[in-house]
């Protein structure tokens, strides 16, 4: 409760920016064993290691960091909050990101960073499982993000198709364009319903990992297809940054990558099917 009071209130008010640091240079999809370690020393943990590709790292006020508490032992991990300004804790920016440019990414380095045991999130040694829970919720969020982007692209494509004329007709009068629009709408609606279903279970307090993975995989891959079609409807103008679809095309590409790639989601789904 103290942690919620200290951190979540400020984040909710927009006063602080958070970050979640799981990925490392040698551990992306497989975070069952990590190189970043947290060693207990009295009332402190001492953290050493590197995290990379972390959203908001250059601007975050604190990081929730997944650390290996028993070196080399799978799943023996602990989540710790590290505040900006802690001695030995550095953040640097990674330049040249394709999309979602409003959210910078960066690297964290930890050099004998001492954090109080009060900064422990959840239970010591259970960090891996806490992270999976967090990712399950996050995956529904990414699915919703993808549905929103696809809907935005469809709205813009519809408007453009009704405005743009070629061969003395609105391009919306060509049946080929109409069918593209219809196919886009079908896919968005299907992804939205799957996302709502996953979110509905989350609201009920019941997380079904294979369902959140299905929602994320279907919605994110759908959004890439739909945004690609929207760009096609815009013709050459879709390729120009002045139009939103150019940005959507770049932004959407992250969605099947972060919070677990599509391949990892399919592994989760297949494992549940074959159980
Ligand atoms: C913009 C951006 C923001 C990010 N934000 C964060 C963040 O805030 N916090 C954080 O911790 N991380 C973050 N990440 C990292 C992201 O979660 C990882 O990039 C992602 O989990 C994949 O890890 P990797 O890049 O190391 O790829 P790898 O794990 O090396 O995978 C490479 C390829 O192999 C495939 N692959 C790997 N294992 C398997 C398998 N078992 N079966 C089939 N295929 C497999 C992958 O799907 C992928 O196609 C971010 C990344 C980006 C690009």
């Amino acid at each position: 409760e103290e942690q919620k009071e200290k951190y979540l209130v400020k984040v909710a008010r927009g006063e602080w920016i958070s970050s979640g640091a799981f990925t490392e240079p040698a551990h992306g999809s497989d975070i069952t064993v990590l190189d970043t370690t947290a060693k207990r020393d009295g009332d402190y943990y001492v953290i050493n290691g590197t995290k990379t590709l972390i959203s908001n790292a250059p601007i975050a006020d604190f990081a929730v960091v997944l650390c290996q508490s028993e070196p080399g032992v799978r799943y023996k991990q602990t989540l710790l909050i590290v505040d900006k300004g802690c001695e030995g804790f550095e953040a640097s920016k990674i330049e040249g990101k394709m999309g979602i440019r409003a959210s910078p990414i960066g690297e964290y380095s930890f050099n004998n960073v001492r954090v109080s045991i009060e900064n422990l999130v959840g239970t010591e040694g259970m960090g891996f499982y806490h992270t999976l829970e967090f990712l399950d919720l996050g995956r529904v969020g990414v699915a919703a993000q993808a549905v929103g982007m696809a809907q935005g692209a469809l709205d813009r494509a519809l408007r453009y198709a009704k405005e743009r004329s070629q061969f003395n007709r609105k391009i919306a009068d060509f049946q080929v364009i109409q069918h593209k629009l219809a196919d886009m709408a079908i896919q968005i609606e299907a992804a939205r319903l799957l996302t709502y279903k996953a979110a509905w279970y989350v609201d009920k307090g019941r997380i079904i990992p294979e369902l959140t993975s299905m929602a994320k995989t279907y919605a994110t891959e759908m959004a890439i297809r739909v945004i690609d079609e929207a760009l096609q409807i815009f013709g050459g103008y879709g390729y120009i940054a002045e139009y939103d679809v150019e940005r959507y095309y770049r932004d959407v590409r992250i969605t099947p990558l972060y919070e677990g790639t599509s391949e990892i989601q399919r592994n989760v789904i297949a494992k549940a099917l074959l159980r």
Side-chain angles (χ1 to χ4, degrees), residues 20 22-23 28-29 53-55 97 105 254 257-258 261 263 267:
F22 317 112
T23 306
S29 298
L53 295 175
I54 308 304
S55 296
K97 186 149 56 67
I105 55 168
I254 187 59
L257 293 171
Y258 64 7
T261 63
E263 290 77 13
N267 288 349

